[in-house]
């Protein structure tokens, strides 16, 4: 059986996005991944600037972009939904 591709999660770590909420989103995501044993399913990456400063904090989950989310629990919900979609799609194929 082929290994599943990891869900790519990218956070802007530029000063504006970091100060606006991605600092707490990062901590929350790291804890969520660790507590749920998802290190083998999620590829968490930080970037210096994604060029979306005016609408930050900015993050990308898979192929979807999100801006303005400052609640780490909301980010965890988006991750959970993305993983569920991936699981459902792999069941179809």
């Amino acid at each position: 059986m082929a290994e599943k591709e990891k869900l790519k999660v990218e956070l802007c770590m530029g000063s504006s996005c970091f100060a606006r909420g991605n600092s707490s989103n990062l901590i929350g995501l790291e804890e969520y991944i660790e507590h749920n044993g998802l290190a083998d399913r999620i590829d968490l990456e930080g970037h210096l600037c994604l060029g979306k400063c005016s609408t930050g904090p900015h993050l990308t989950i898979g192929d979807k972009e999100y801006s303005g989310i400052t609640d780490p629990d909301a980010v965890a919900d988006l991750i959970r939904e993305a993983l569920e979609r991936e699981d459902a799609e792999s069941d179809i194929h």
Side-chain angles (χ1 to χ4, degrees), residues 44-72:
L44 181 59
E45 296 180 12
H47 296 277
L48 291 179
C49 183
L50 295 173
K52 311 222 183 215
C53 304
S54 64
T55 60
H58 186 76
L59 64 128
T60 303
I61 300 170
D63 60 355
K64 296 186 180 200
E65 294 185 6
Y66 301 91
S67 290
I69 299 174
T70 58
D71 179 6

Side-chain angles (χ1 to χ4, degrees), residues 7-81:
L7 176 66
K8 189 176 204 177
V9 178
E10 300 172 279
L11 277 84
C12 181
M13 303 308 285
S15 58
S16 177
C17 285
F18 196 75
R20 286 178 162 182
N22 269 353
S23 58
S24 58
N25 286 340
L26 175 62
I27 293 167
L29 272 173
E30 290 174 331
E31 290 174 357
Y32 176 76
I33 291 167
E34 182 180 339
H35 290 292
N36 291 285
L38 296 171
D40 62 336
R41 299 222 31 217
I42 296 174
D43 181 19
L44 181 59
E45 296 180 12
H47 296 277
L48 291 179
C49 183
L50 295 173
K52 311 222 183 215
C53 304
S54 64
T55 60
H58 186 76
L59 64 128
T60 303
I61 300 170
D63 60 355
K64 296 186 180 200
E65 294 185 6
Y66 301 91
S67 290
I69 299 174
T70 58
D71 179 6
D73 291 332
V75 175
D77 289 341
L78 292 170
I79 298 287
R80 190 172 18 264
E81 291 168 11

